[in-house]
């Protein structure tokens, strides 16, 4: 009983952590991706100040994902990270450059443009690396006896490049709709303008991935085209949310585009999860194979039950503190 | 030449950890100092405390930013370069590191946002509370990370079954034998670092007559605090040493440069250890003192390195010398703390030139001492990854090639070098601008026509004229604050 349910609970928790990370760091990475295209330097100041108070907390979900994976599914951790060795390096290097840019940019004068590039380049590289990880994950890993035995560049395929582009566009879309919500005037106008083209780009990549994935993998094909018709509700939801983004931008609504984009991400993410369930290291290991000792899963779970609501509480509170439009000249610098 | 992924991974991890370590040891102490200032400001309503707090929070933000990004790297490096170790130790390390994220990182990150950006958005009491939560987060983080690290030195509460550590007692594993000493030693080291940096910077401002009232207050707080903790650190260090002798005798033997197990072992002040011939050259020592310190008896028996095969011994020279650097600097710190007390009557401590100059130089010493101590404990563990249970070689990622490890090693070194020199530069800039009307001075700079950076119009004194570009020439450390 315990053996059966604990890994399931943990799969849910890790899954929750991943989507929390994607949604939260997604929009601040998106702001970085859009950075070079902003109307002017003052807009860039505002863009950065919309995320400056919260980006660090957003990124902490990634660290929780890493540590939680090690705690609950060490097999996944110890296969995925060596398999994605170079991708992980690029991701981390990207996060370093964009992370320090938050502090350095406002302290720089003549070299400010360098930190603009550091923020934009770092965000873009991190988003591409994460997108490539998604593709590599769908394609699966070469393993033997619980260790990765493939080559260091196995993860770099045309398919993973496509998913990388998809996530890049997706994060940019999240960033654009976040800016619609958090800014006004010229910058908001610009964010409205780029949202629909970004949405189109995302949908185009999704369409190609949806057609491609079943051919890449037999298991995925079976999952989607067997008698499990109920899962088609997920792509239907995705399309519905896409339409909602389109409509709400047309109607100049300020909050709904961001919420609908989050909905689009969640339904797509769930689509990805059901394609692979219950394999956590495709194609060989299920979440039960990969689980750590039940005592370890239980030990962490007990603390998590108490601490996670508190974290969600004060995180929500900080978003409340920094609610409303961000205007020029705000921030502590 | 065949590239060895083991050596390269060890260098890589040592580099990343050492680089990372210097940020938290500073921010832990500084976070507590800022929380103190916020509390004093809230209680007394004296604006000088808030002025100090606002200034030091800026410094904190730059350093914390670098600490965060370098820390993210570490949490993934267990998996990339040491996947066998990660898998073997996941049952213990996974939950411990996750608890660190859950109980510390989120707290720090969320409340740091409020501390930095929320002064006008939340009531003063909540702002003070946020400063306290950031400080609390750094301390909780220290607790977990040192539990994990200590466990690798003195593993307890686990069984090694089929190559995987199974936890038999969480209490024994978390509160493993060396944990209390290590936690205290590192915690106090962080307070020493924070205090000496604040004292050094305040001394520098006093030397130039800037914001005298506020900086005298800051210096006074630091000197009282140092008087308390600098001697305490020596005592804690002694207890830690005794604990190490009990659990990792070969590390102590390397620290002492002691090859033969014997009684009345001298305390070596100077020696050149020769691992090949298993002996020392040019020994200068105080007879019997090592025995006295380690066993608290003049003729106590101290184990020597000869007790294990040569390939089981840690690299003696590095451990031996790092230990002397750490202890030497510790004694110097105590001397300054005592001097601060002697100079206190009549406020001589903020008028005595040599003392202020000395403090300015001292601000770099805690970093060196911490790194030296880190080398002693980590290199002294060799060849063990988990002491007595798993070697470095056993923990390595099987699929890792030498060229991959080399590629990322070079990558991290380049990225960190760039980020660190820039960070140091901006830190200097924050310090140069100081507590005065920083808004104004910032404005003055932004209004200048932007041009590719040339050293010619850099307004800072520490940028000694015309040495290349403005970004890569500031590696002199805090000692180059004034020319």
């Amino acid at each position: 009983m315990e053996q059966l349910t604990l890994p399931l609970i943990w799969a849910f928790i890790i899954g929750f952590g991943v989507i929390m990370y994607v949604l939260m760091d997604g929009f601040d990475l998106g702001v970085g991706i859009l950075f070079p295209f902003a109307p002017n330097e003052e807009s860039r100041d505002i863009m950065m100040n919309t995320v400056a108070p919260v980006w660090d907390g957003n990124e902490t979900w990634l660290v929780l994902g890493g540590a939680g994976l090690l705690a609950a599914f060490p097999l996944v951790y110890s296969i995925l990270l060596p398999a994605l060795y170079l991708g992980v390096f690029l991701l981390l290097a990207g996060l370093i450059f964009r992370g320090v840019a938050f502090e350095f940019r406002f302290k720089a004068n003549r070299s400010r443009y360098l930190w603009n590039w550091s923020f934009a380049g770092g965000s873009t590289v991190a988003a591409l690396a994460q997108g490539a990880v998604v593709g590599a994950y769908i394609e699966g890993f070469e393993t033997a006896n619980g260790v990765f035995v493939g080559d260091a560049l196995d993860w770099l395929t045309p398919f993973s490049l496509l998913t990388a582009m998809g996530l890049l566009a997706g994060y940019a879309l999240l960033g654009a709709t976040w800016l619609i919500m958090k800014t006004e005037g010229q910058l908001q106008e610009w964010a409205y303008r780029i949202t629909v083209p970004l949405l189109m780009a995302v949908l185009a990549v999704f369409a190609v991935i949806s057609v491609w994935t079943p051919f890449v993998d037999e298991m995925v094909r079976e999952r989607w085209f067997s008698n499990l018709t109920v899962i088609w509700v997920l792509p239907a939801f995705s399309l519905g949310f896409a339409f909602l983004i389109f409509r709400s931008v047309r109607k100049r609504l300020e909050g709904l585009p961001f919420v609908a984009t989050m909905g689009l991400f969640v339904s797509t993410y769930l689509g990805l999860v059901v394609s692979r369930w219950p394999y956590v290291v495709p194609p060989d290991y299920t979440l039960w194979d990969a689980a750590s000792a039940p005592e370890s899963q239980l030990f962490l779970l007990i603390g998590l039950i108490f601490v996670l609501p508190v974290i969600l509480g004060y995180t929500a509170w900080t978003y409340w503190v920094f609610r409303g439009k961000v205007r020029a000249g705000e921030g502590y610098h | 030449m065949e590239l060895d992924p083991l050596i390269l991974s060890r260098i890589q991890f040592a580099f990343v950890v050492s680089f990372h370590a210097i940020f938290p040891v500073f921010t832990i102490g500084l976070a507590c100092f800022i929380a103190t200032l916020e509390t004093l400001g809230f209680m007394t309503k004296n604006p000088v405390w808030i002025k100090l707090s606002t200034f030091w929070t800026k410094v904190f933000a730059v350093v914390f930013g670098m600490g965060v990004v370098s820390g993210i790297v570490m949490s993934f490096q267990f998996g990339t370069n040491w996947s066998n170790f990660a898998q073997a130790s996941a049952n213990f390390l996974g939950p411990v590191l996750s608890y660190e994220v859950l109980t510390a990182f989120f707290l720090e990150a969320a409340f740091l946002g409020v501390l930095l950006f929320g002064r006008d958005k939340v009531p003063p009491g909540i702002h003070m509370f946020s400063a306290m939560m950031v400080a609390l987060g750094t301390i909780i983080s220290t607790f977990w990370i040192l539990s994990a690290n200590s466990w690798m030195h003195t593993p307890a509460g686990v069984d090694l079954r089929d190559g995987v550590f199974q936890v038999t007692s969480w209490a024994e594993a978390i509160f493993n034998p060396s944990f209390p000493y290590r936690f205290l030693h590192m915690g106090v080291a962080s307070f020493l670092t924070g205090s000496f940096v604040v004292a050094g910077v305040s001394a520098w401002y006093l030397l130039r007559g800037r914001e005298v009232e506020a900086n005298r207050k800051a210096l006074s707080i630091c000197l009282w605090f140092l008087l308390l903790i600098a001697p305490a650190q020596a005592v804690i260090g002694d207890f830690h040493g005794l604990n190490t002798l009990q659990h990792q005798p070969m590390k102590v033997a390397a620290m002492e440069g002691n090859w033969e197990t014997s009684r009345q072992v001298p305390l070596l002040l100077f020696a050149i250890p020769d691992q090949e011939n298993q002996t020392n050259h040019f020994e200068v020592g105080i007879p019997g003192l090592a025995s006295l310190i380690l066993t608290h008896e003049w003729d106590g028996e101290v184990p020597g390195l000869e007790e294990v095969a040569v390939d089981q011994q840690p690299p003696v020279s590095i451990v031996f010398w790092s230990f002397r650097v750490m202890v030497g600097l510790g004694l110097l710190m105590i001397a300054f703390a005592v001097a601060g007390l002697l100079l206190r009557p009549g406020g001589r401590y903020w008028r005595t030139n040599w003392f202020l100059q000395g403090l300015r130089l001292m601000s770099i010493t805690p970093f060196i001492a911490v790194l030296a101590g880190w080398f002693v404990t980590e290199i002294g563990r060799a060849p063990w990854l988990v002491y007595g249970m798993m070697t470095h070689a056993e923990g390595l990622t099987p699929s890792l090639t030498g060229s991959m490890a080399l590629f990322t090693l070079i990558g991290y070194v380049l990225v960190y070098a760039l980020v660190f020199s820039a960070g140091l530069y901006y830190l200097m800039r924050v310090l140069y601008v100081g507590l005065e009307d920083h808004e104004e001075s910032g404005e003055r700079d932004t209004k200048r026509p932007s041009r590719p950076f040339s050293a010619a119009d850099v307004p800072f004194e520490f940028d000694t004229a015309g040495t290349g570009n403005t970004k890569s020439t500031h590696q002199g450390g805090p000692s180059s604050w004034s020319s």
Side-chain angles (χ1 to χ4, degrees), chain B residues 22-39:
Chain B
I22 58 180
F23 300 112
V25 291
F26 180 32
T27 49
I28 293 162
L30 192 56
C32 294
F33 182 63
I34 290 168
T36 310
L37 292 173
E38 282 288 319
T39 310

Side-chain angles (χ1 to χ4, degrees), chain B residues 176-188:
Chain B
N176 56 76
S178 67
F179 166 71
Y181 305 97
R182 229 177 270 276
F183 177 58
L184 274 178
H185 200 45
M186 198 70 183
V188 173

Side-chain angles (χ1 to χ4, degrees), chain A residues 59 62-63 92 95, chain B residues 20 67-77:
Chain A
E59 217 159 274
L62 179 68
V63 186
L92 296 174
L95 291 179
Chain B
H20 172 70
V68 165
V69 293
S70 58
I72 293 177
V73 173
M74 291 203 329
S75 69
F76 286 92
Q77 227 168 15

Side-chain angles (χ1 to χ4, degrees), chain A residues 89 92-94 96-97, chain B residues 19 410-420:
Chain A
F89 169 74
L92 296 174
I96 289 176
F97 277 108
Chain B
F19 182 90
I410 294 171
Y412 284 123
V413 170
L414 286 178
V415 170
Y416 281 19
L418 212 68
V419 165
F420 186 59

Side-chain angles (χ1 to χ4, degrees), chain A residues 131-283:
Chain A
V133 168
V134 175
Y137 195 78
I138 295 173
E139 290 186 300
F141 303 96
E142 198 182 324
T143 59
N145 301 319
V147 296
F148 174 68
V149 293
D151 193 73
L153 288 172
D154 279 359
W155 58 276
L156 197 63
T157 63
F159 184 72
S160 67
L161 289 177
L162 182 71
T163 53
M165 295 307 295
L167 197 65
L168 183 72
Y171 280 169
L173 181 65
L174 265 178
T177 52
W178 164 260
L179 290 174
I180 289 175
M181 188 167 72
K182 294 296 285 185
T183 67
E184 56 196 4
Q186 185 193 15
L187 179 57
Q188 189 191 37
E189 225 21 70
W190 171 75
Y192 271 124
R193 245 189 349 264
I194 59 171
T195 296
V196 172
L198 283 171
L199 177 64
M200 292 305 155
V202 171
L203 290 179
V205 178
F206 279 180
V208 179
I209 291 174
S210 304
V211 176
W212 194 338
T213 313
F215 291 102
V216 173
D217 192 278
E218 195 183 334
M219 199 197 112
V220 176
R221 183 163 67 235
E222 203 152 292
R223 182 62 48 86
W224 285 92
F225 297 102
S226 63
N227 47 11
L228 248 171
T229 45
V230 63
I231 64 175
W232 283 90
V233 84
L234 291 169
F237 267 122
S238 298
L239 285 176
F241 281 120
F243 182 68
L244 198 58
I245 299 169
F246 183 73
R247 279 292 299 267
S248 55
V249 167
R250 270 290 168 81
K251 288 185 169 175
R252 285 288 191 265
L253 298 177
E254 296 195 319
L256 197 56
F258 183 62
V259 175
T261 309
M262 290 202 288
L264 177 66
F265 262 88
V266 171
S267 42
T268 311
Y269 174 72
L270 289 177
L272 181 71
V273 172
V274 296
S275 300
R276 275 305 181 190
W277 185 268
Y279 286 87
V280 285
V281 188

Side-chain angles (χ1 to χ4, degrees), chain A residues 47-174:
Chain A
M47 284 165 83
M48 215 157 191
N49 278 334
T50 64
V51 292
V54 291
W55 76 272
D56 190 8
N58 296 347
E59 217 159 274
T60 307
W61 289 95
L62 179 68
V63 186
L64 180 66
L69 207 54
L70 177 65
F73 301 108
L75 189 71
V76 184
Y77 183 86
S78 61
I79 289 174
L80 248 56
L81 288 173
L84 302 166
Y85 193 77
L86 285 180
V88 170
F89 169 74
L90 289 174
L91 168 69
L92 296 174
L95 291 179
I96 289 176
F97 277 108
R98 78 182 288 275
V100 296
F102 279 100
E103 277 305 318
F104 293 176
R105 182 177 173 277
F106 285 102
K107 308 222 166 5
N109 297 319
R110 287 169 302 280
S111 55
R112 178 167 289 198
Y113 71 100
L114 285 177
W115 300 111
N116 285 346
W117 282 112
S118 166
F119 183 52
S123 302
T124 305
V125 168
L128 286 172
Q130 288 175 18
V133 168
V134 175
Y137 195 78
I138 295 173
E139 290 186 300
F141 303 96
E142 198 182 324
T143 59
N145 301 319
V147 296
F148 174 68
V149 293
D151 193 73
L153 288 172
D154 279 359
W155 58 276
L156 197 63
T157 63
F159 184 72
S160 67
L161 289 177
L162 182 71
T163 53
M165 295 307 295
L167 197 65
L168 183 72
Y171 280 169
L173 181 65
L174 265 178

Side-chain angles (χ1 to χ4, degrees), chain B residues 27-28 31-32 34-35 60 64 104 107-116 128-140:
Chain B
T27 49
I28 293 162
C32 294
I34 290 168
F60 183 84
F64 189 81
L107 198 69
E108 283 172 20
F111 286 97
L112 181 64
V114 179
L115 181 66
L116 290 181
M128 173 186 77
F129 178 74
S130 300
M132 287 175 173
M133 288 302 105
V134 172
L136 180 67
T138 62
I139 290 171
I140 296 175

Side-chain angles (χ1 to χ4, degrees), chain B residues 355-399:
Chain B
F355 183 65
L356 295 177
Q357 291 286 4
L359 278 179
R360 199 167 62 80
L361 294 172
M362 281 302 287
S363 56
I364 190 102
T365 55
F367 296 101
I368 301 171
V370 163
L371 283 182
W374 190 249
F375 289 170
V376 171
T377 201
E378 295 302 303
I379 297 171
R381 187 179 51 195
W384 299 105
L385 189 53
V386 180
Y387 199 77
M389 297 181 99
M390 183 181 220
T391 62
H392 287 118
E394 288 165 341
L396 195 71
T397 297
S399 62

